[in-house]
Amino acid sequence: MDITQPDLTSLFDQLGLPSEPDAVETFIRQHSIAAEIHIAEAPFWTQAQKHFIAEALAEDAQWTEVIDHLDAQLRA
């Protein structure tokens, strides 16, 4: 059973990205997604990251709310 708390830090861990607060902030500041692009299809993700995001959203997994939050931040 996965007991990972779904938050931005643990999402970045799952995606294999640096997850320290400054690193997350920098990532969000340096990346953005156009309105017509689905978050899982953003060009900066690897294939594995795209797959994780798409699968988590499709399954309405514990990560959905956190991914939606990240999505909103990447479009701000």
Short mmCIF file of all heavy atoms in Angstrom, two decimals:
data_model
loop_
_atom_site.label_atom_id
_atom_site.label_comp_id
_atom_site.label_asym_id
_atom_site.label_seq_id
_atom_site.Cartn_x
_atom_site.Cartn_y
_atom_site.Cartn_z
N MET A 1 0.84 -1.17 0.00
CA MET A 1 0.00 0.00 0.00
C MET A 1 0.89 1.24 0.00
O MET A 1 1.84 1.35 0.75
CB MET A 1 -0.90 -0.02 1.24
CG MET A 1 -1.68 1.27 1.38
SD MET A 1 -3.09 1.24 2.50
CE MET A 1 -2.35 0.99 4.08
N ASP A 2 0.55 2.20 -0.87
CA ASP A 2 1.30 3.45 -0.97
C ASP A 2 0.76 4.43 0.06
O ASP A 2 -0.41 4.77 0.05
CB ASP A 2 1.15 4.02 -2.38
CG ASP A 2 1.98 5.27 -2.59
OD1 ASP A 2 2.81 5.60 -1.73
OD2 ASP A 2 1.80 5.91 -3.64
N ILE A 3 1.63 4.89 0.96
CA ILE A 3 1.19 5.83 2.00
C ILE A 3 1.78 7.22 1.77
O ILE A 3 1.76 8.05 2.66
CB ILE A 3 1.56 5.31 3.41
CG1 ILE A 3 3.06 5.08 3.52
CG2 ILE A 3 0.78 4.06 3.75
CD1 ILE A 3 3.55 4.81 4.92
N THR A 4 2.28 7.46 0.56
CA THR A 4 2.84 8.76 0.23
C THR A 4 1.75 9.81 0.28
O THR A 4 0.69 9.63 -0.29
CB THR A 4 3.46 8.73 -1.19
OG1 THR A 4 4.41 7.68 -1.26
CG2 THR A 4 4.11 10.05 -1.53
N GLN A 5 2.04 10.92 0.96
CA GLN A 5 1.10 12.03 1.01
C GLN A 5 1.14 12.75 -0.33
O GLN A 5 2.20 13.15 -0.79
CB GLN A 5 1.46 13.01 2.12
CG GLN A 5 1.09 12.51 3.49
CD GLN A 5 -0.42 12.53 3.68
OE1 GLN A 5 -1.19 11.98 2.90
NE2 GLN A 5 -0.84 13.15 4.75
N PRO A 6 0.01 12.90 -0.98
CA PRO A 6 0.00 13.60 -2.26
C PRO A 6 0.13 15.12 -2.08
O PRO A 6 -0.82 15.79 -1.71
CB PRO A 6 -1.34 13.21 -2.87
CG PRO A 6 -2.21 12.86 -1.72
CD PRO A 6 -1.29 12.37 -0.63
N ASP A 7 1.33 15.63 -2.30
CA ASP A 7 1.58 17.07 -2.29
C ASP A 7 2.60 17.34 -3.39
O ASP A 7 3.07 16.41 -4.05
CB ASP A 7 2.06 17.55 -0.92
CG ASP A 7 3.33 16.89 -0.44
OD1 ASP A 7 4.06 16.29 -1.26
OD2 ASP A 7 3.63 16.98 0.76
N LEU A 8 2.91 18.61 -3.63
CA LEU A 8 3.83 18.93 -4.72
C LEU A 8 5.20 18.29 -4.54
O LEU A 8 5.80 17.81 -5.50
CB LEU A 8 3.98 20.45 -4.87
CG LEU A 8 2.90 21.15 -5.68
CD1 LEU A 8 3.15 22.66 -5.70
CD2 LEU A 8 2.79 20.61 -7.07
N THR A 9 5.69 18.25 -3.32
CA THR A 9 6.98 17.63 -3.06
C THR A 9 6.98 16.17 -3.47
O THR A 9 7.86 15.71 -4.20
CB THR A 9 7.36 17.78 -1.57
OG1 THR A 9 7.46 19.16 -1.26
CG2 THR A 9 8.68 17.09 -1.26
N SER A 10 5.98 15.43 -3.02
CA SER A 10 5.93 14.00 -3.36
C SER A 10 5.61 13.78 -4.83
O SER A 10 6.08 12.81 -5.43
CB SER A 10 4.95 13.26 -2.45
OG SER A 10 3.66 13.83 -2.49
N LEU A 11 4.84 14.68 -5.46
CA LEU A 11 4.59 14.57 -6.90
C LEU A 11 5.90 14.74 -7.67
O LEU A 11 6.19 13.94 -8.57
CB LEU A 11 3.57 15.61 -7.36
CG LEU A 11 3.30 15.65 -8.87
CD1 LEU A 11 2.76 14.32 -9.38
CD2 LEU A 11 2.36 16.79 -9.22
N PHE A 12 6.69 15.72 -7.30
CA PHE A 12 7.97 15.91 -7.97
C PHE A 12 8.88 14.71 -7.73
O PHE A 12 9.61 14.30 -8.64
CB PHE A 12 8.62 17.23 -7.54
CG PHE A 12 8.15 18.40 -8.36
CD1 PHE A 12 6.82 18.80 -8.36
CD2 PHE A 12 9.03 19.11 -9.16
CE1 PHE A 12 6.38 19.87 -9.13
CE2 PHE A 12 8.61 20.18 -9.93
CZ PHE A 12 7.28 20.56 -9.92
N ASP A 13 8.83 14.13 -6.55
CA ASP A 13 9.58 12.89 -6.29
C ASP A 13 9.12 11.80 -7.25
O ASP A 13 9.95 11.09 -7.85
CB ASP A 13 9.40 12.42 -4.85
CG ASP A 13 10.20 13.22 -3.84
OD1 ASP A 13 11.20 13.86 -4.23
OD2 ASP A 13 9.81 13.19 -2.65
N GLN A 14 7.83 11.62 -7.39
CA GLN A 14 7.27 10.59 -8.28
C GLN A 14 7.69 10.82 -9.73
O GLN A 14 7.88 9.87 -10.48
CB GLN A 14 5.74 10.58 -8.21
CG GLN A 14 5.17 10.00 -6.95
CD GLN A 14 5.43 8.51 -6.84
OE1 GLN A 14 5.30 7.77 -7.81
NE2 GLN A 14 5.80 8.07 -5.66
N LEU A 15 7.81 12.09 -10.10
CA LEU A 15 8.20 12.43 -11.47
C LEU A 15 9.71 12.39 -11.68
O LEU A 15 10.20 12.59 -12.79
CB LEU A 15 7.66 13.82 -11.83
CG LEU A 15 6.14 13.94 -11.90
CD1 LEU A 15 5.73 15.40 -12.06
CD2 LEU A 15 5.58 13.09 -13.03
N GLY A 16 10.46 12.14 -10.60
CA GLY A 16 11.91 12.06 -10.70
C GLY A 16 12.57 13.43 -10.84
O GLY A 16 13.66 13.55 -11.38
N LEU A 17 11.88 14.44 -10.32
CA LEU A 17 12.40 15.81 -10.38
C LEU A 17 12.87 16.25 -9.00
O LEU A 17 12.38 15.73 -8.00
CB LEU A 17 11.30 16.76 -10.87
CG LEU A 17 10.77 16.51 -12.28
CD1 LEU A 17 9.52 17.34 -12.52
CD2 LEU A 17 11.85 16.83 -13.30
N PRO A 18 13.78 17.22 -8.95
CA PRO A 18 14.17 17.77 -7.64
C PRO A 18 12.92 18.28 -6.92
O PRO A 18 12.09 18.96 -7.52
CB PRO A 18 15.12 18.92 -8.01
CG PRO A 18 15.63 18.58 -9.36
CD PRO A 18 14.50 17.86 -10.05
N SER A 19 12.79 17.93 -5.66
CA SER A 19 11.54 18.22 -4.95
C SER A 19 11.69 19.19 -3.78
O SER A 19 10.73 19.41 -3.04
CB SER A 19 10.93 16.91 -4.45
OG SER A 19 11.83 16.26 -3.57
N GLU A 20 12.87 19.77 -3.63
CA GLU A 20 13.03 20.77 -2.60
C GLU A 20 12.15 21.97 -2.96
O GLU A 20 11.95 22.26 -4.14
CB GLU A 20 14.49 21.24 -2.49
CG GLU A 20 15.47 20.15 -2.13
CD GLU A 20 15.82 19.24 -3.30
OE1 GLU A 20 15.67 19.64 -4.47
OE2 GLU A 20 16.24 18.11 -3.04
N PRO A 21 11.61 22.68 -1.97
CA PRO A 21 10.70 23.80 -2.26
C PRO A 21 11.25 24.80 -3.28
O PRO A 21 10.52 25.23 -4.18
CB PRO A 21 10.48 24.44 -0.89
CG PRO A 21 10.66 23.31 0.07
CD PRO A 21 11.74 22.45 -0.53
N ASP A 22 12.53 25.15 -3.18
CA ASP A 22 13.11 26.10 -4.14
C ASP A 22 13.15 25.51 -5.55
O ASP A 22 12.93 26.23 -6.53
CB ASP A 22 14.53 26.49 -3.72
CG ASP A 22 14.55 27.41 -2.50
OD1 ASP A 22 13.49 27.98 -2.17
OD2 ASP A 22 15.62 27.55 -1.89
N ALA A 23 13.42 24.21 -5.65
CA ALA A 23 13.48 23.55 -6.96
C ALA A 23 12.09 23.49 -7.59
O ALA A 23 11.94 23.71 -8.80
CB ALA A 23 14.06 22.15 -6.82
N VAL A 24 11.06 23.21 -6.79
CA VAL A 24 9.69 23.17 -7.30
C VAL A 24 9.30 24.56 -7.79
O VAL A 24 8.75 24.72 -8.89
CB VAL A 24 8.72 22.67 -6.21
CG1 VAL A 24 7.27 22.83 -6.67
CG2 VAL A 24 9.02 21.22 -5.85
N GLU A 25 9.61 25.58 -7.00
CA GLU A 25 9.30 26.96 -7.37
C GLU A 25 10.00 27.35 -8.67
O GLU A 25 9.40 27.98 -9.55
CB GLU A 25 9.76 27.88 -6.23
CG GLU A 25 8.87 29.06 -6.00
CD GLU A 25 9.31 29.82 -4.76
OE1 GLU A 25 9.02 29.36 -3.64
OE2 GLU A 25 9.94 30.88 -4.94
N THR A 26 11.26 26.97 -8.78
CA THR A 26 12.03 27.28 -10.00
C THR A 26 11.42 26.58 -11.20
O THR A 26 11.28 27.18 -12.28
CB THR A 26 13.51 26.88 -9.82
OG1 THR A 26 14.06 27.65 -8.75
CG2 THR A 26 14.31 27.12 -11.09
N PHE A 27 11.06 25.31 -11.06
CA PHE A 27 10.46 24.56 -12.15
C PHE A 27 9.20 25.27 -12.64
O PHE A 27 9.00 25.47 -13.84
CB PHE A 27 10.12 23.13 -11.70
CG PHE A 27 9.52 22.30 -12.79
CD1 PHE A 27 10.32 21.54 -13.62
CD2 PHE A 27 8.14 22.27 -13.00
CE1 PHE A 27 9.77 20.77 -14.64
CE2 PHE A 27 7.58 21.50 -14.00
CZ PHE A 27 8.40 20.75 -14.83
N ILE A 28 8.34 25.65 -11.71
CA ILE A 28 7.08 26.31 -12.06
C ILE A 28 7.34 27.65 -12.73
O ILE A 28 6.67 28.00 -13.71
CB ILE A 28 6.18 26.45 -10.81
CG1 ILE A 28 5.71 25.05 -10.37
CG2 ILE A 28 4.99 27.37 -11.09
CD1 ILE A 28 5.06 25.02 -9.00
N ARG A 29 8.32 28.37 -12.26
CA ARG A 29 8.66 29.67 -12.85
C ARG A 29 9.23 29.51 -14.26
O ARG A 29 9.01 30.36 -15.12
CB ARG A 29 9.67 30.37 -11.93
CG ARG A 29 9.69 31.86 -12.05
CD ARG A 29 10.56 32.57 -11.02
NE ARG A 29 11.84 31.94 -10.73
CZ ARG A 29 12.14 31.34 -9.58
NH1 ARG A 29 11.26 31.26 -8.61
NH2 ARG A 29 13.33 30.79 -9.40
N GLN A 30 9.94 28.42 -14.52
CA GLN A 30 10.62 28.23 -15.80
C GLN A 30 9.80 27.49 -16.84
O GLN A 30 10.21 27.38 -18.00
CB GLN A 30 11.95 27.50 -15.59
CG GLN A 30 12.96 28.30 -14.83
CD GLN A 30 14.25 27.53 -14.58
OE1 GLN A 30 14.31 26.31 -14.71
NE2 GLN A 30 15.28 28.26 -14.19
N HIS A 31 8.65 26.96 -16.46
CA HIS A 31 7.83 26.18 -17.40
C HIS A 31 6.41 26.74 -17.43
O HIS A 31 5.89 27.20 -16.42
CB HIS A 31 7.79 24.71 -16.98
CG HIS A 31 9.12 24.05 -17.05
ND1 HIS A 31 10.01 24.09 -16.00
CD2 HIS A 31 9.72 23.34 -18.02
CE1 HIS A 31 11.11 23.43 -16.34
NE2 HIS A 31 10.97 22.96 -17.56
N SER A 32 5.81 26.65 -18.59
CA SER A 32 4.41 27.03 -18.71
C SER A 32 3.75 26.17 -19.78
O SER A 32 4.43 25.55 -20.60
CB SER A 32 4.29 28.51 -19.06
OG SER A 32 4.85 28.77 -20.33
N ILE A 33 2.42 26.13 -19.72
CA ILE A 33 1.64 25.32 -20.65
C ILE A 33 0.60 26.22 -21.30
O ILE A 33 -0.12 26.94 -20.60
CB ILE A 33 0.92 24.17 -19.92
CG1 ILE A 33 1.91 23.30 -19.14
CG2 ILE A 33 0.14 23.32 -20.91
CD1 ILE A 33 1.23 22.26 -18.27
N ALA A 34 0.51 26.15 -22.61
CA ALA A 34 -0.52 26.89 -23.33
C ALA A 34 -1.90 26.32 -23.00
O ALA A 34 -2.03 25.14 -22.66
CB ALA A 34 -0.27 26.82 -24.83
N ALA A 35 -2.91 27.15 -23.12
CA ALA A 35 -4.27 26.77 -22.74
C ALA A 35 -4.76 25.52 -23.46
O ALA A 35 -5.48 24.71 -22.88
CB ALA A 35 -5.22 27.93 -23.00
N GLU A 36 -4.36 25.33 -24.71
CA GLU A 36 -4.88 24.20 -25.49
C GLU A 36 -4.11 22.89 -25.27
O GLU A 36 -4.48 21.85 -25.80
CB GLU A 36 -4.90 24.55 -26.98
CG GLU A 36 -3.53 24.70 -27.61
CD GLU A 36 -2.89 26.09 -27.43
OE1 GLU A 36 -3.46 26.96 -26.77
OE2 GLU A 36 -1.79 26.28 -27.97
N ILE A 37 -3.07 22.91 -24.46
CA ILE A 37 -2.24 21.73 -24.21
C ILE A 37 -2.67 21.07 -22.90
O ILE A 37 -2.76 21.72 -21.87
CB ILE A 37 -0.75 22.11 -24.12
CG1 ILE A 37 -0.28 22.84 -25.37
CG2 ILE A 37 0.12 20.88 -23.84
CD1 ILE A 37 -0.25 22.01 -26.62
N HIS A 38 -2.92 19.77 -22.95
CA HIS A 38 -3.21 19.00 -21.74
C HIS A 38 -1.92 18.87 -20.94
O HIS A 38 -0.84 18.70 -21.53
CB HIS A 38 -3.76 17.62 -22.12
CG HIS A 38 -4.23 16.83 -20.95
ND1 HIS A 38 -3.39 16.05 -20.20
CD2 HIS A 38 -5.46 16.70 -20.41
CE1 HIS A 38 -4.09 15.46 -19.24
NE2 HIS A 38 -5.35 15.85 -19.35
N ILE A 39 -2.01 18.94 -19.63
CA ILE A 39 -0.79 18.89 -18.80
C ILE A 39 0.08 17.68 -19.11
O ILE A 39 1.30 17.77 -19.12
CB ILE A 39 -1.11 18.97 -17.29
CG1 ILE A 39 0.21 19.09 -16.49
CG2 ILE A 39 -1.98 17.80 -16.83
CD1 ILE A 39 0.04 19.41 -15.02
N ALA A 40 -0.52 16.55 -19.40
CA ALA A 40 0.27 15.34 -19.68
C ALA A 40 0.99 15.42 -21.02
O ALA A 40 1.90 14.64 -21.28
CB ALA A 40 -0.63 14.11 -19.65
N GLU A 41 0.62 16.37 -21.86
CA GLU A 41 1.26 16.51 -23.17
C GLU A 41 2.23 17.69 -23.24
O GLU A 41 2.72 18.03 -24.32
CB GLU A 41 0.18 16.65 -24.25
CG GLU A 41 -0.66 15.39 -24.41
CD GLU A 41 0.18 14.15 -24.67
OE1 GLU A 41 1.15 14.22 -25.47
OE2 GLU A 41 -0.12 13.11 -24.07
N ALA A 42 2.49 18.30 -22.11
CA ALA A 42 3.45 19.42 -22.11
C ALA A 42 4.80 18.93 -22.63
O ALA A 42 5.23 17.82 -22.31
CB ALA A 42 3.59 19.99 -20.70
N PRO A 43 5.45 19.75 -23.44
CA PRO A 43 6.68 19.30 -24.10
C PRO A 43 7.88 19.07 -23.18
O PRO A 43 8.84 18.42 -23.59
CB PRO A 43 6.98 20.43 -25.09
CG PRO A 43 6.29 21.62 -24.54
CD PRO A 43 5.08 21.10 -23.82
N PHE A 44 7.81 19.54 -21.96
CA PHE A 44 8.97 19.41 -21.08
C PHE A 44 8.98 18.11 -20.28
O PHE A 44 9.95 17.81 -19.61
CB PHE A 44 9.09 20.62 -20.14
CG PHE A 44 7.81 21.03 -19.47
CD1 PHE A 44 7.32 20.36 -18.37
CD2 PHE A 44 7.08 22.09 -19.99
CE1 PHE A 44 6.14 20.75 -17.77
CE2 PHE A 44 5.89 22.50 -19.39
CZ PHE A 44 5.42 21.82 -18.28
N TRP A 45 7.92 17.31 -20.35
CA TRP A 45 7.90 16.02 -19.63
C TRP A 45 8.60 14.95 -20.43
O TRP A 45 8.56 14.94 -21.67
CB TRP A 45 6.47 15.55 -19.38
CG TRP A 45 5.57 16.43 -18.60
CD1 TRP A 45 4.32 16.85 -18.97
CD2 TRP A 45 5.77 16.98 -17.29
NE1 TRP A 45 3.77 17.63 -17.99
CE2 TRP A 45 4.64 17.73 -16.95
CE3 TRP A 45 6.83 16.93 -16.38
CZ2 TRP A 45 4.50 18.42 -15.74
CZ3 TRP A 45 6.71 17.61 -15.18
CH2 TRP A 45 5.56 18.33 -14.86
N THR A 46 9.19 13.99 -19.74
CA THR A 46 9.69 12.79 -20.41
C THR A 46 8.49 11.89 -20.70
O THR A 46 7.39 12.12 -20.18
CB THR A 46 10.68 12.02 -19.51
OG1 THR A 46 9.95 11.52 -18.38
CG2 THR A 46 11.84 12.89 -19.06
N GLN A 47 8.70 10.85 -21.48
CA GLN A 47 7.61 9.91 -21.78
C GLN A 47 7.10 9.27 -20.49
O GLN A 47 5.89 9.11 -20.31
CB GLN A 47 8.07 8.83 -22.76
CG GLN A 47 8.14 9.32 -24.19
CD GLN A 47 6.82 9.90 -24.67
OE1 GLN A 47 6.72 11.11 -24.92
NE2 GLN A 47 5.81 9.09 -24.81
N ALA A 48 7.99 8.91 -19.59
CA ALA A 48 7.57 8.29 -18.32
C ALA A 48 6.75 9.27 -17.48
O ALA A 48 5.75 8.88 -16.87
CB ALA A 48 8.79 7.81 -17.54
N GLN A 49 7.15 10.52 -17.45
CA GLN A 49 6.41 11.52 -16.70
C GLN A 49 5.03 11.75 -17.31
O GLN A 49 4.03 11.84 -16.60
CB GLN A 49 7.19 12.84 -16.65
CG GLN A 49 8.44 12.76 -15.80
CD GLN A 49 9.38 13.93 -16.01
OE1 GLN A 49 9.40 14.56 -17.07
NE2 GLN A 49 10.18 14.22 -14.99
N LYS A 50 4.97 11.82 -18.64
CA LYS A 50 3.69 11.97 -19.33
C LYS A 50 2.76 10.81 -18.99
O LYS A 50 1.58 11.00 -18.71
CB LYS A 50 3.89 12.03 -20.85
CG LYS A 50 4.50 13.32 -21.33
CD LYS A 50 4.67 13.28 -22.84
CE LYS A 50 5.28 14.58 -23.34
NZ LYS A 50 5.31 14.64 -24.80
N HIS A 51 3.32 9.61 -19.01
CA HIS A 51 2.53 8.42 -18.72
C HIS A 51 2.00 8.46 -17.28
O HIS A 51 0.82 8.17 -17.05
CB HIS A 51 3.38 7.16 -18.94
CG HIS A 51 2.66 5.90 -18.63
ND1 HIS A 51 1.70 5.36 -19.47
CD2 HIS A 51 2.73 5.08 -17.56
CE1 HIS A 51 1.22 4.26 -18.91
NE2 HIS A 51 1.83 4.07 -17.76
N PHE A 52 2.84 8.80 -16.33
CA PHE A 52 2.41 8.86 -14.94
C PHE A 52 1.27 9.86 -14.77
O PHE A 52 0.26 9.57 -14.13
CB PHE A 52 3.58 9.24 -14.02
CG PHE A 52 3.15 9.44 -12.59
CD1 PHE A 52 2.98 8.36 -11.74
CD2 PHE A 52 2.89 10.71 -12.10
CE1 PHE A 52 2.55 8.54 -10.43
CE2 PHE A 52 2.46 10.91 -10.79
CZ PHE A 52 2.29 9.81 -9.96
N ILE A 53 1.44 11.06 -15.32
CA ILE A 53 0.42 12.11 -15.18
C ILE A 53 -0.89 11.68 -15.83
O ILE A 53 -1.96 11.77 -15.22
CB ILE A 53 0.93 13.44 -15.76
CG1 ILE A 53 2.08 13.98 -14.89
CG2 ILE A 53 -0.20 14.47 -15.86
CD1 ILE A 53 2.84 15.12 -15.51
N ALA A 54 -0.82 11.19 -17.06
CA ALA A 54 -2.03 10.77 -17.76
C ALA A 54 -2.74 9.63 -17.03
O ALA A 54 -3.97 9.64 -16.88
CB ALA A 54 -1.69 10.35 -19.19
N GLU A 55 -1.97 8.66 -16.57
CA GLU A 55 -2.55 7.51 -15.86
C GLU A 55 -3.18 7.95 -14.54
O GLU A 55 -4.29 7.52 -14.20
CB GLU A 55 -1.49 6.46 -15.62
CG GLU A 55 -2.02 5.17 -15.04
CD GLU A 55 -0.94 4.13 -14.94
OE1 GLU A 55 -0.65 3.48 -15.97
OE2 GLU A 55 -0.37 3.96 -13.83
N ALA A 56 -2.50 8.79 -13.80
CA ALA A 56 -3.03 9.27 -12.51
C ALA A 56 -4.34 10.03 -12.72
O ALA A 56 -5.30 9.84 -11.96
CB ALA A 56 -2.01 10.16 -11.81
N LEU A 57 -4.40 10.86 -13.75
CA LEU A 57 -5.64 11.61 -14.01
C LEU A 57 -6.75 10.70 -14.51
O LEU A 57 -7.91 10.85 -14.11
CB LEU A 57 -5.36 12.73 -15.02
CG LEU A 57 -4.47 13.86 -14.50
CD1 LEU A 57 -4.12 14.81 -15.64
CD2 LEU A 57 -5.13 14.60 -13.35
N ALA A 58 -6.42 9.73 -15.35
CA ALA A 58 -7.43 8.82 -15.89
C ALA A 58 -8.04 7.94 -14.81
O ALA A 58 -9.23 7.62 -14.85
CB ALA A 58 -6.82 7.95 -16.99
N GLU A 59 -7.21 7.56 -13.84
CA GLU A 59 -7.68 6.69 -12.77
C GLU A 59 -8.28 7.47 -11.61
O GLU A 59 -8.70 6.88 -10.63
CB GLU A 59 -6.52 5.84 -12.25
CG GLU A 59 -6.01 4.85 -13.26
CD GLU A 59 -4.81 4.07 -12.74
OE1 GLU A 59 -4.36 4.30 -11.59
OE2 GLU A 59 -4.31 3.23 -13.50
N ASP A 60 -8.28 8.81 -11.71
CA ASP A 60 -8.73 9.65 -10.61
C ASP A 60 -7.99 9.25 -9.33
O ASP A 60 -8.58 9.09 -8.27
CB ASP A 60 -10.24 9.59 -10.44
CG ASP A 60 -10.78 10.76 -9.62
OD1 ASP A 60 -10.12 11.81 -9.59
OD2 ASP A 60 -11.84 10.61 -8.99
N ALA A 61 -6.70 9.07 -9.49
CA ALA A 61 -5.84 8.61 -8.40
C ALA A 61 -5.65 9.70 -7.34
O ALA A 61 -6.07 10.84 -7.51
CB ALA A 61 -4.48 8.20 -8.97
N GLN A 62 -4.98 9.32 -6.28
CA GLN A 62 -4.71 10.26 -5.18
C GLN A 62 -3.95 11.48 -5.65
O GLN A 62 -3.95 12.52 -4.99
CB GLN A 62 -3.93 9.55 -4.07
CG GLN A 62 -2.52 9.16 -4.47
CD GLN A 62 -1.76 8.50 -3.34
OE1 GLN A 62 -2.25 8.43 -2.24
NE2 GLN A 62 -0.57 8.02 -3.64
N TRP A 63 -3.30 11.40 -6.80
CA TRP A 63 -2.49 12.50 -7.31
C TRP A 63 -3.30 13.54 -8.07
O TRP A 63 -2.78 14.61 -8.39
CB TRP A 63 -1.40 11.93 -8.23
CG TRP A 63 -0.46 11.04 -7.52
CD1 TRP A 63 -0.39 9.68 -7.62
CD2 TRP A 63 0.55 11.41 -6.58
NE1 TRP A 63 0.60 9.20 -6.81
CE2 TRP A 63 1.19 10.24 -6.15
CE3 TRP A 63 0.97 12.63 -6.06
CZ2 TRP A 63 2.23 10.26 -5.23
CZ3 TRP A 63 2.00 12.64 -5.14
CH2 TRP A 63 2.62 11.46 -4.75
N THR A 64 -4.54 13.26 -8.39
CA THR A 64 -5.33 14.14 -9.25
C THR A 64 -5.37 15.58 -8.76
O THR A 64 -5.12 16.51 -9.52
CB THR A 64 -6.76 13.59 -9.42
OG1 THR A 64 -6.68 12.28 -9.99
CG2 THR A 64 -7.59 14.47 -10.32
N GLU A 65 -5.69 15.77 -7.51
CA GLU A 65 -5.79 17.13 -6.96
C GLU A 65 -4.46 17.86 -7.04
O GLU A 65 -4.41 19.05 -7.39
CB GLU A 65 -6.28 17.08 -5.51
CG GLU A 65 -6.59 18.45 -4.94
CD GLU A 65 -7.20 18.35 -3.55
OE1 GLU A 65 -7.94 17.40 -3.27
OE2 GLU A 65 -6.89 19.25 -2.75
N VAL A 66 -3.37 17.16 -6.75
CA VAL A 66 -2.04 17.80 -6.79
C VAL A 66 -1.65 18.12 -8.23
O VAL A 66 -1.10 19.19 -8.51
CB VAL A 66 -0.98 16.89 -6.12
CG1 VAL A 66 0.39 17.51 -6.18
CG2 VAL A 66 -1.38 16.60 -4.69
N ILE A 67 -1.93 17.21 -9.15
CA ILE A 67 -1.64 17.46 -10.56
C ILE A 67 -2.46 18.64 -11.07
O ILE A 67 -1.96 19.50 -11.79
CB ILE A 67 -1.88 16.20 -11.41
CG1 ILE A 67 -0.85 15.12 -11.05
CG2 ILE A 67 -1.81 16.53 -12.91
CD1 ILE A 67 -1.15 13.75 -11.63
N ASP A 68 -3.72 18.70 -10.67
CA ASP A 68 -4.57 19.85 -11.06
C ASP A 68 -4.00 21.15 -10.52
O ASP A 68 -4.01 22.18 -11.19
CB ASP A 68 -6.00 19.65 -10.56
CG ASP A 68 -6.77 18.60 -11.35
OD1 ASP A 68 -6.31 18.21 -12.44
OD2 ASP A 68 -7.83 18.17 -10.85
N HIS A 69 -3.50 21.11 -9.29
CA HIS A 69 -2.89 22.30 -8.68
C HIS A 69 -1.65 22.71 -9.47
O HIS A 69 -1.46 23.91 -9.77
CB HIS A 69 -2.55 22.01 -7.21
CG HIS A 69 -1.90 23.13 -6.50
ND1 HIS A 69 -2.55 24.29 -6.16
CD2 HIS A 69 -0.62 23.29 -6.07
CE1 HIS A 69 -1.71 25.11 -5.55
NE2 HIS A 69 -0.54 24.52 -5.47
N LEU A 70 -0.80 21.75 -9.81
CA LEU A 70 0.39 22.05 -10.60
C LEU A 70 0.00 22.60 -11.96
O LEU A 70 0.58 23.57 -12.45
CB LEU A 70 1.26 20.80 -10.76
CG LEU A 70 2.50 20.95 -11.64
CD1 LEU A 70 3.45 22.01 -11.09
CD2 LEU A 70 3.20 19.60 -11.78
N ASP A 71 -1.01 22.00 -12.58
CA ASP A 71 -1.51 22.45 -13.87
C ASP A 71 -1.89 23.93 -13.80
O ASP A 71 -1.50 24.73 -14.66
CB ASP A 71 -2.71 21.59 -14.27
CG ASP A 71 -3.20 21.86 -15.68
OD1 ASP A 71 -2.43 22.40 -16.51
OD2 ASP A 71 -4.36 21.52 -15.96
N ALA A 72 -2.64 24.31 -12.78
CA ALA A 72 -3.05 25.70 -12.62
C ALA A 72 -1.84 26.61 -12.46
O ALA A 72 -1.80 27.72 -13.03
CB ALA A 72 -3.99 25.83 -11.43
N GLN A 73 -0.85 26.17 -11.70
CA GLN A 73 0.34 26.99 -11.50
C GLN A 73 1.15 27.15 -12.77
O GLN A 73 1.75 28.20 -13.00
CB GLN A 73 1.21 26.40 -10.39
CG GLN A 73 0.58 26.55 -9.01
CD GLN A 73 1.52 26.04 -7.94
OE1 GLN A 73 1.94 24.89 -7.97
NE2 GLN A 73 1.82 26.90 -6.99
N LEU A 74 1.17 26.13 -13.60
CA LEU A 74 1.92 26.20 -14.85
C LEU A 74 1.21 27.05 -15.90
O LEU A 74 1.80 27.41 -16.92
CB LEU A 74 2.17 24.78 -15.41
CG LEU A 74 3.11 23.92 -14.59
CD1 LEU A 74 3.08 22.48 -15.07
CD2 LEU A 74 4.53 24.48 -14.62
N ARG A 75 -0.04 27.38 -15.66
CA ARG A 75 -0.80 28.21 -16.60
C ARG A 75 -0.96 29.64 -16.11
O ARG A 75 -1.52 30.49 -16.80
CB ARG A 75 -2.17 27.59 -16.85
CG ARG A 75 -2.07 26.26 -17.55
CD ARG A 75 -3.42 25.62 -17.72
NE ARG A 75 -3.31 24.22 -18.06
CZ ARG A 75 -3.11 23.75 -19.29
NH1 ARG A 75 -2.98 24.58 -20.30
NH2 ARG A 75 -3.04 22.46 -19.51
N ALA A 76 -0.50 29.92 -14.92
CA ALA A 76 -0.69 31.27 -14.34
C ALA A 76 0.21 32.31 -14.99
O ALA A 76 1.23 32.03 -15.53
CB ALA A 76 -0.40 31.21 -12.84
#
